[in-house]
């Protein structure tokens, strides 16, 4: 792993991390919901809804404990060196944050260290799904446990509707999808481009027509899978994505899946979409369900693109089990239609820890009722950028496929 730990960090990313670490925690993780409740009642109890969070020492101890349990897929000598650099970066990075150092004075090692703290101390965890839900006693769940427990029944239903698109070639899966109607799943167009080919007439052909499936379990340690065969393409955004990001291009696709291809298991129920086009709003809470992928390794001369090294280290350490279902809570950074350069007004930005993957993941509300899908995640990297298409602004397209919307 080629990492220049001492080079200058990305100031914007450090600024986001520092802001998150300084922010008072909302009890239960409901960052916007609790605040609005206290404001509406006009009480003085808003302060009791927040707390300062763990101390610098507690954050470092928790990170140290988490690192001790990790066994990334790299040689032992390299494992120890990476862990030492991350812990050292976290130690000096937290000190700088608490001293009010400007973001441009941080090193890459400190940037990565801060990201590791955020992931392990409960600010923005990435939680394994097992037996249909997350462990509410997980050491890295932070203050999100109350909110997740509160909406547990409906969140379980959302989780069960999220699947992994499996293919017969490495890395054995292409991305995440979720059910929009019987026999139809939603994903990204760029995921579709990995599993199918479009001809000049616009017709899509699956690259592996008999071996492309959706597994709606895909959990770490799961003994069984519930696989359904992908049979074709019902819809795709009109513009090629070609592994690039263009806010004017709709990175969405709908695949046909045969419910009868797995007679043993019922096809999962569809998700329910948000109707309000101003949702999600900035600072609202949400969660993402998906299957983070394996990090790409930079093996060339010179420096990799901004954010690549952070994603590579964090994913190598904390995502050593690739392609298993996870739930990650977070908040909306930029509300629906307010993202710069989004002329279509159909994008929002969030700060969930996506571990450098999660293409096609379901983004659901956690401020209101816990079951409304508010967006389709299509691109992102920890604390660098996380973008999603706003579901309510795609209603005209989704309604053609009997998708369910609620006011």
């Amino acid at each position: 792993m080629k990492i220049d730990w001492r080079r200058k960090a990305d100031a914007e990313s450090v600024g986001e991390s520092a802001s998150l670490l300084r922010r008072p925690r909302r009890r239960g993780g409901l960052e916007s919901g609790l605040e609005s409740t206290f404001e509406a009642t006009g009480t003085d109890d808003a302060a009791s809804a927040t707390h300062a969070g763990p101390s610098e020492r507690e954050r470092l101890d928790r990170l140290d404990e988490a690192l001790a349990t990790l066994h990334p897929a790299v040689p032992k000598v390299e494992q120890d060196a990476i862990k030492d650099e991350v812990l050292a970066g976290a130690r000096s990075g937290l000190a700088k944050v608490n001293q009010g150092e400007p973001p441009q004075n941080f090193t890459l090692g400190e940037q990565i260290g801060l990201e590791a703290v955020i992931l392990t101390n409960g600010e923005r965890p990435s939680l394994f799904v097992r037996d249909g839900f997350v462990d509410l006693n997980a050491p890295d769940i932070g203050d999100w446990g109350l909110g997740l427990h509160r909406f547990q029944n409906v969140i379980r239903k959302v989780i069960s509707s999220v699947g992994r698109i499996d293919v017969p070639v490495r890395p054995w899966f292409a991305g995440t999808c979720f059910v929009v109607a019987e026999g139809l799943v939603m994903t990204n167009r760029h995921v579709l481009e990995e599993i199918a080919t479009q001809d000049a007439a616009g017709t899509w052909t699956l690259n592996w027509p008999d071996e492309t499936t959706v597994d709606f379990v895909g959990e770490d340690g799961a003994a069984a899978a519930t696989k359904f065969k992908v049979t074709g393409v019902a819809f795709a955004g009109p513009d090629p994505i070609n592994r690039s990001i263009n806010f004017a291009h709709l990175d969405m696709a709908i695949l046909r899946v045969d419910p009868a291809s797995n007679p043993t298991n019922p096809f999962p129920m569809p998700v329910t979409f948000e109707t309000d086009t101003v949702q999600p709003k900035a600072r609202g809470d949400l969660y993402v369900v998906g299957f983070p992928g394996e990090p790409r390794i930079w093996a060339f001369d010179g420096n990799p693109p901004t954010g690549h090294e952070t994603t590579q280290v964090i994913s190598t350490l904390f995502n050593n089990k690739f392609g298993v279902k996870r739930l990650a809570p977070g908040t909306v950074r930029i509300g629906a239609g307010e993202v710069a350069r989004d002329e279509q007004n159909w994008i929002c930005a969030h700060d969930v820890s996506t571990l450098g993957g999660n293409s096609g993941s379901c983004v659901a509300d956690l401020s209101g009722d816990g079951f409304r899908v508010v967006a389709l995640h299509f691109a992102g990297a920890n604390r660098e950028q996380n973008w999603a298409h706003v579901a309510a602004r795609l209603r005209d397209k989704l309604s053609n496929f009997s998708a369910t919307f609620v006011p």
Side-chain angles (χ1 to χ4, degrees):
M1 184 179 294
K2 300 172 63 175
I3 303 292
D4 182 359
W5 301 91
R6 306 295 174 257
R7 77 177 177 88
K8 191 176 287 291
D10 178 68
E12 182 178 357
S13 175
V14 171
E16 291 289 341
S17 295
S19 175
L20 185 55
L21 289 165
R22 292 192 190 106
R23 190 182 307 166
R25 288 188 171 186
R26 302 283 177 189
R27 298 196 185 277
L30 303 177
E31 298 202 356
S32 60
L34 283 173
E35 180 180 42
S36 60
T37 299
F38 289 119
E39 287 177 347
T41 57
T43 70
D44 294 325
D45 294 328
S48 68
T50 66
H51 63 106
S55 67
E56 182 177 324
R57 180 70 267 161
E58 290 170 329
R59 281 171 161 154
L60 289 170
D61 287 345
R62 171 65 198 123
L63 175 59
D64 196 15
E65 292 170 3
L67 290 173
T69 67
L70 300 175
H71 304 285
V74 294
K76 181 66 167 60
V77 173
E78 191 172 355
Q79 283 186 35
D80 293 341
I82 293 171
K83 291 178 181 180
D84 288 346
E85 290 285 0
V86 169
L87 190 59
R91 185 178 295 110
S92 58
L94 283 173
K96 287 184 177 181
V97 168
N98 291 332
Q99 292 164 8
E101 284 275 347
Q104 57 267 31
N105 289 354
F106 285 68
T107 67
L108 177 62
E110 291 164 343
Q111 175 184 339
I112 293 172
L114 294 179
E115 181 60 34
V117 168
I118 287 169
L119 196 58
T120 58
N121 277 258
E123 276 85 8
R124 296 297 181 269
S126 179
L127 306 166
F128 285 112
V129 173
R130 296 187 176 99
D131 297 323
F133 200 59
V134 300
D135 179 2
L136 293 173
N137 295 313
D140 54 347
I141 200 168
D143 296 330
W144 296 100
L146 180 60
L148 294 171
H149 178 266
R150 176 186 177 191
F151 299 127
Q152 179 174 171
N153 291 338
V154 292
I155 292 174
R156 280 183 176 274
K157 293 178 181 178
V158 174
I159 290 173
S160 69
S161 298
V162 179
R164 183 184 64 210
I165 302 172
D166 291 346
V167 293
V169 296
R170 289 186 181 276
W172 313 118
F173 73 101
T176 301
C177 64
F178 51 96
V179 180
V180 297
E182 176 77 3
L184 297 171
V185 297
M186 185 176 184
T187 188
N188 295 135
R189 174 171 167 136
H190 78 258
V191 172
L192 170 62
E193 291 173 357
E194 298 296 323
I195 66 171
T197 304
Q198 188 178 33
D199 64 21
T203 302
W204 289 92
T205 302
L206 294 173
N207 297 336
W208 307 279
D210 297 319
E211 299 177 275
T212 303
T213 58
V214 176
D215 181 0
F216 288 102
V217 178
E219 298 176 1
D220 178 40
T226 57
K227 293 198 174 190
F228 293 84
K229 185 178 178 181
V230 177
T231 58
V233 180
F235 172 84
D239 301 299
I241 304 300
N242 294 331
R243 299 188 179 184
S244 63
I245 298 172
N246 186 327
F247 288 170
H249 294 173
L250 177 58
D251 197 354
M252 178 186 116
I254 295 178
L255 308 179
R256 299 189 187 280
V257 182
D258 182 8
S261 61
N262 186 337
T264 306
N265 297 287
F267 196 74
M269 295 295 292
V271 299
T272 300
F273 290 100
E274 171 63 60
T275 302
D276 190 348
T277 57
V278 302
Q279 297 291 346
K281 293 182 179 179
R283 295 192 66 215
D285 292 324
L286 46 75
Y287 63 94
V288 172
V289 182
F291 298 82
E294 187 171 0
R296 293 178 180 175
I297 304 301
W298 183 261
F300 309 100
D301 294 330
N303 292 328
T306 299
H308 189 285
E309 290 165 305
T310 306
T311 299
Q312 182 179 336
V313 173
I314 294 299
S315 293
T316 298
L317 286 176
F318 298 101
N319 187 26
N320 57 319
K321 295 180 178 180
F322 310 122
V324 295
K325 189 177 285 188
R326 292 181 185 244
L327 181 151
T331 61
V332 183
R333 284 184 55 206
I334 308 174
E338 298 176 353
V339 175
R341 303 186 307 279
D342 172 24
E343 296 181 1
Q344 302 290 338
N345 294 319
W346 59 10
I347 294 173
C348 64
H350 62 83
D351 65 5
V352 164
S353 295
T354 54
L355 297 179
N358 286 91
S359 291
S361 290
C362 165
V363 183
D365 162 68
L366 193 56
S367 288
D369 48 34
F371 78 93
R372 298 168 195 245
V373 171
V374 295
L376 166 69
H377 176 84
F378 68 88
N382 292 336
R383 242 55 61 208
E384 300 292 342
Q385 66 273 323
N386 273 300
W387 296 304
H389 282 300
V390 177
R393 305 206 176 196
L394 305 178
R395 185 173 183 177
D396 59 332
K397 298 171 178 62
L398 291 171
S399 294
N400 293 330
F401 302 97
S402 302
T404 301
F405 285 80
V406 294

